[in-house]
Amino acid sequence: MLEKINKIKESALREIETIKNAESLKNFEIKYLGRKSELNQILRSLSEVSEEEKRLIGPQANSLKKELEEMIEARKKVLLKKIDEFDYSLPGLIPKVGHMHPISCFMEKVEDVFVSMGFEIVSGPEIESEEYNFDLLNIPSEHPARDMWDTYYVKFPISPPTGGFAGRGQYPIKSYNSNHKSRILLRTHTSPVQLRAMETRKPPVRIIVPGRVFRHEATDAGHEKNFYQCEGFVIDRNVSLANLTSTLRIFVKRIFGEKIEIRVRPSYFPFVEPGIEVDMNCLICGGKGCSACKQSGWVEVLGAGMIHPKVLEDMSRLGKTKWNPKNYSGFAFGLGIDRFAMLYYGINDIRLFYSGDLRFVRQF
Ligand code: PHE
C-alpha cells in the first residue's frame, strides 16, 4: 500500500505541472482527492486493516492528502498570476467607432464624378454677406426674386467677423465695396462661391462647390432649414447650353445608371440666362407615376443655366487677374444633395438625415 501511495504522489507531481487552466485543475482535484480517488479508497480501507498497518499507512496517506491539497493551492496561485501578467495593451475586441454620414458618403460620390470630369473642388463661407449671396448674383434688394430664398440674417453685437468659419476651406467674409451696407446672413445657396472662387482665378475654370446652406423653411418631409447643395460651374470660350445638359446627363447616369433620363424645363434664376430646371426619372416608380413624384414620373433635382453676362462682369471686375467677360461664357448648376441622396438611398423624409436617430444612421 505504501508503494501505491508513492505511485500516486509521483504521478500527481508529474501531472500538476502540465495544468494550464482552472478546469483541468478541478479535474485534477477530483481525480486525486475525490470520493472515487485511489487515495480516498486507501483512507477508507484503513478501518479494515490491522492496527500495525494503520499506524504505518495512516500518516503517509494523510500527509499525501495534505501535500496534494497544497499542490492544488500552489498551482491555483500560478494560474492566477498568469492572468495578472496579461498584457492589457494588446488590442481587444474591435471598438465601435462612428462612420460617415450618408450625406457625406453621397457627397463623395458626387465629387468623384465631377473630379473625373476635370472639376476642381472649392468651398466658401457658410456665413455670407448679403452682397455675395444676393447683390452680386444680380438679385438687388427689394427685388421680388429675393423671395425665392427665405433668409436667416445674422446679427453680430460688434462687427462681422472675418474668416474662420465652418466649411472646408475658409474665406474672409468681406465686402468688395466698403460703402455697401451689406448685412450678414447664413448663405441660402452655394452660388456666392462662384464669385469668391473667381476672385483668385481666371477662365478657363471647372469648379464644384459642395456645401451646407440654410433657409427659413417650414420643415416637412421634403424641406429642411439646413441642407446641402453642390454648385458647379464652367467658364471658358464657347461654353453652351448643350455642354450644360450633357454634363448633367453624364452626371446623373454615372450616379444612377445608364437607364436614367433627365428632362429640362425653362426656369428663372436672376444669375443665369437662360435658366433651366432639371428633372430626372422618379426612381421609386421608374417613371410611371407615384405619390413620391406627384404622379408625374419626374422629380426636380436641380436648377441651372448659362451664367448671366452681368455676373460674368462682376467676376472679372472683382478678380485679381484681368480677363474680358465678353470673350467668355459659362454654365452653372446647383444640385440639391439631400434630394439626390434621398432618391439614391430610398429615403422618404429629409428630416431623418438631421435627426441623429441611430436606428436610421446605422443602416448606412
Ligand atoms: N442657387 C440656386 C438655388 O439654390 C440654384 C442654381 C444654381 C440655379 C446655379 C442656377 C444656377 O436655388
Side-chain angles (χ1 to χ4, degrees):
M1 244 199 256
L2 276 181
E3 210 175 294
K4 216 171 178 187
I5 289 173
N6 275 334
K7 274 215 176 109
I8 295 171
K9 189 172 166 180
E10 264 170 43
S11 97
L13 277 171
R14 237 182 293 119
E15 220 170 287
I16 192 87
E17 290 303 321
T18 66
I19 286 171
K20 294 266 169 358
N21 56 44
E23 199 189 332
S24 31
L25 190 63
K26 190 84 214 154
N27 290 338
F28 177 91
E29 192 174 353
I30 293 166
K31 178 172 171 190
Y32 288 99
L33 292 171
R35 246 178 345 107
K36 290 182 185 157
S37 65
E38 279 183 279
L39 182 61
N40 202 38
Q41 275 163 14
I42 293 171
L43 285 167
R44 268 194 293 180
S45 68
L46 285 180
S47 57
E48 289 150 22
V49 298
S50 66
E51 267 317 293
E52 200 181 332
E53 260 184 310
K54 206 189 275 178
R55 236 177 290 129
L56 195 67
I57 297 160
Q60 294 287 341
N62 276 316
S63 95
L64 176 60
K65 188 176 174 190
K66 218 167 150 217
E67 260 179 84
L68 285 167
E69 278 164 1
E70 280 166 6
M71 237 185 251
I72 289 166
E73 266 322 295
R75 193 69 197 164
K76 213 179 258 173
K77 281 201 183 114
V78 170
L79 292 180
L80 283 175
K81 189 148 171 278
K82 284 234 166 78
I83 292 171
D84 262 0
E85 283 163 1
F86 180 77
D87 184 354
Y88 291 101
S89 70
L90 287 172
L93 296 172
I94 295 164
K96 277 205 173 135
V97 290
H99 57 79
M100 281 213 308
H101 189 276
I103 293 276
S104 309
C105 296
F106 189 75
M107 195 70 103
E108 281 203 349
K109 285 185 202 299
V110 172
E111 289 171 8
D112 282 351
V113 172
F114 284 112
V115 166
S116 79
M117 291 197 260
F119 282 72
E120 175 191 356
I121 303 175
V122 173
S123 53
E126 289 170 3
I127 300 180
E128 246 314 348
S129 69
E130 185 176 10
E131 201 178 11
Y132 276 82
N133 196 81
F134 291 127
D135 299 79
L136 291 169
L137 288 167
N138 199 27
I139 319 168
S141 54
E142 315 308 330
H143 193 283
R146 284 217 180 176
D147 294 349
M148 290 163 74
W149 297 275
D150 295 315
T151 311
Y152 286 114
Y153 287 89
V154 182
K155 260 195 195 146
F156 284 104
I158 312 166
S159 55
T162 49
F165 275 94
R168 284 183 287 169
Q170 335 241 287
Y171 285 74
I173 298 152
K174 61 171 202 274
S175 165
Y176 81 91
N177 174 359
S178 54
N179 296 322
H180 191 284
K181 284 231 161 36
S182 187
R183 285 179 290 174
I184 299 298
L185 46 76
L186 299 183
R187 67 175 177 196
T188 58
H189 49 181
T190 42
S191 300
V193 191
Q194 288 185 31
L195 288 135
R196 295 204 176 269
M198 291 314 287
E199 287 176 346
T200 51
R201 289 171 182 78
K202 66 181 176 65
V205 293
R206 293 178 194 181
I207 289 170
I208 55 163
V209 185
R212 187 179 183 187
V213 299
F214 309 85
R215 285 185 202 171
H216 183 61
E217 302 263 9
T219 53
D220 61 29
H223 296 87
E224 252 296 356
K225 295 179 169 72
N226 158 118
F227 57 100
Y228 287 81
Q229 285 191 333
C230 184
E231 192 85 6
F233 66 102
V234 169
I235 305 172
D236 204 341
R237 291 176 197 272
N238 305 317
V239 174
S240 72
L241 196 63
N243 297 148
L244 169 59
T245 50
S246 61
T247 303
L248 293 173
R249 185 169 290 115
I250 290 169
F251 164 73
V252 166
K253 286 177 186 288
R254 287 262 198 99
I255 296 276
F256 294 101
E258 275 304 314
K259 287 208 188 87
I260 300 298
E261 261 313 324
I262 59 167
R263 174 174 88 164
V264 171
R265 289 178 287 116
S267 184
Y268 172 68
F269 300 95
F271 37 93
V272 288
E273 181 58 35
I276 58 170
E277 244 157 351
V278 177
D279 301 340
M280 80 176 217
N281 289 146
C282 176
L283 294 175
I284 294 166
C285 62
K288 285 193 197 77
C290 67
S291 65
C293 59
K294 297 190 193 111
Q295 310 304 330
S296 73
W298 297 95
V299 272
E300 183 197 322
V301 283
L302 63 94
M306 299 306 291
I307 300 177
H308 196 287
K310 199 160 170 300
V311 176
L312 283 176
E313 261 169 46
D314 280 338
M315 285 173 176
S316 84
R317 184 163 44 86
L318 297 175
K320 290 209 174 77
T321 329
K322 288 302 148 208
W323 51 280
N324 186 352
K326 294 204 163 56
N327 297 336
Y328 292 92
S329 58
F331 67 69
F333 55 85
L335 310 174
I337 289 293
D338 302 68
R339 199 160 286 182
F340 266 113
M342 284 165 76
L343 289 168
Y344 188 80
Y345 294 117
I347 294 162
N348 59 10
D349 194 323
I350 188 173
R351 292 168 294 191
L352 285 166
F353 285 133
Y354 308 101
S355 65
D357 191 331
L358 291 176
R359 289 169 304 179
F360 170 74
V361 175
R362 286 199 176 127
Q363 293 180 45
F364 299 91

